[in-house]
Amino acid sequence: MREFRKMAVILAALALLPGAKLPRTGPLPQAKPEAAIEAPAAPQPEKKQEEEQVPKPAPAQNLETLPAASEVPTPQLKPSETPAAPAGEKFGPPSPAPEDLTPKPPTEQTLEEQHLTVEPESDADHAECTRELQSLGVVFRETPRIDDDNGCGIDKPIIVSQALPGIALKPEATLRCPTALALARWMKGSVIPAALVALPESGGITAINQASAYICRLRNGADTGKMSEHARGNAIDIASFSFKKGEDVAVRSRRDDSTLTGAFQRTVSAAGCLYFTTVLDPESDAAHETHFHLDVIERKGGFRYCH
């Protein structure tokens, strides 16, 4: 009976559906009270055309598939290519300074490179010196100023022909007056007395034989180094002594000579330092094996070099 009633209701509903109509307009949705008035959207700034686009990040790489650092080939440079040095840095050793900008030490300079000049002499000192020469009986004559360039020369030279009365200087020597005066004093104070004691039978000294007086050169005739005192008229080299009787006494190595001649040479060599500021004898070096070198160079503190 219940099933019959359900079926009757369904059939009645289906009979009514054809006549049913939908309304022409449907109900409008109602806005919520708080959303009824909407705030205007904030204006967005325009993008400038020159604005740079942000690059997108590169996709992550699989580190396991990348080659190891040791497997990456190193780029090879051509032989003519060298890597550019960073700013403020230089590769390799510094470039050597040009030769013309690197001054040579004095010991390696030639006479021309030293740019020396002739040293002036005081008129008063020269006059006093020549007066002393005259009082000792030295025979000499004045000669014009010598200037051979590069510092070689003598401001007030003299030419000595006799070191003392009766004792010739052979050959005659061009010197500064102080050199001639030291020579005369050495002869009078030491050489003549030593000869009278050591070689009395020789009859006394008649001449001094000199090997070098004024000459323009460096020391020991070298190509470079300091100027010789010979080039300033400050030095004289004595090679031998002549006597009235007997042979000349030559200057040579006499360190082990036990004769009176050996004693004479050693005595006059040692006494030379009383009058000259430099004395070099055959025992000093090979350059002086055959003569005495005597000079009057001025040194600080009155220092003298005697050998």
Side-chain angles (χ1 to χ4, degrees):
M1 189 66 176
R2 291 181 178 176
E3 296 293 331
F4 178 76
R5 288 179 179 176
K6 290 181 180 179
M7 290 296 295
V9 173
I10 293 170
L11 291 174
L14 291 173
L16 293 175
L17 287 174
K21 296 182 179 179
L22 293 173
R24 294 185 178 184
T25 58
L28 297 174
Q30 300 295 321
K32 294 182 180 179
E34 62 276 10
I37 300 176
E38 184 176 350
Q44 298 295 326
E46 297 182 358
K47 294 184 178 179
K48 296 181 181 180
Q49 294 182 354
E50 64 271 17
E51 184 176 354
E52 297 179 356
Q53 295 182 354
V54 179
K56 295 181 180 181
Q61 294 178 320
N62 186 351
L63 298 180
E64 295 181 359
T65 61
L66 294 177
S70 60
E71 298 176 357
V72 178
T74 303
Q76 300 295 322
L77 295 176
K78 295 180 180 180
S80 59
E81 294 179 345
T82 55
E89 296 183 7
K90 292 183 179 180
F91 290 143
S95 301
E99 293 184 1
D100 57 343
L101 298 181
T102 305
K104 296 179 182 178
T107 55
E108 297 181 5
Q109 292 180 356
T110 64
L111 187 59
E112 292 76 10
E113 291 172 333
Q114 297 182 43
H115 306 293
L116 302 173
T117 58
V118 177
E119 298 179 359
E121 296 186 64
S122 163
D123 290 338
D125 291 345
H126 181 71
E128 181 180 353
C129 179
T130 55
R131 283 194 298 270
E132 291 193 48
L133 288 181
Q134 292 169 348
S135 67
L136 290 170
V138 178
V139 179
F140 68 96
R141 66 183 182 272
E142 304 272 359
T143 190
R145 183 178 187 271
I146 300 173
D147 189 347
D148 291 332
D149 296 329
N150 303 313
C152 291
I154 306 174
D155 188 30
K156 293 177 172 55
I158 62 172
I159 299 176
V160 180
S161 56
Q162 289 190 26
L164 284 175
I167 300 179
L169 184 58
K170 296 182 178 180
E172 59 183 18
T174 300
L175 303 165
R176 284 183 64 234
C177 184
T179 311
L181 183 57
L183 178 64
R185 288 173 172 171
W186 175 58
M187 290 295 299
K188 182 177 181 179
S190 298
V191 179
I192 292 175
L196 290 174
V197 173
L199 307 167
E201 70 284 358
S202 296
I205 297 174
T206 59
I208 306 170
N209 303 300
Q210 60 98 0
S212 178
Y214 169 76
I215 183 173
C216 183
R217 64 173 173 83
L218 297 178
R219 292 182 181 178
N220 298 329
D223 295 328
T224 59
K226 294 185 178 181
M227 176 181 279
S228 169
E229 291 306 304
H230 286 282
R232 296 186 173 97
N234 286 335
I236 187 168
D237 292 346
I238 305 301
S240 64
F241 301 93
S242 295
F243 292 82
K244 289 180 181 179
K245 302 175 184 179
E247 298 180 353
D248 292 354
V249 174
V251 177
R252 59 182 176 83
S253 178
R254 295 182 185 274
R255 178 182 298 169
D256 299 323
D257 185 348
S258 59
T259 67
L260 287 173
T261 301
F264 165 75
Q265 178 177 302
R266 292 192 297 271
T267 298
V268 298
S269 175
C273 215
L274 299 175
Y275 309 93
F276 296 92
T277 56
T278 304
V279 176
L280 300 175
D281 65 16
E283 317 303 338
S284 62
D285 56 33
H288 300 89
E289 288 180 339
T290 59
H291 63 273
F292 293 139
H293 168 90
L294 312 169
D295 72 47
V296 293
I297 184 176
E298 293 184 7
R299 296 187 178 91
K300 294 181 179 179
F303 174 75
R304 299 188 175 207
Y305 183 84
C306 305
H307 193 290

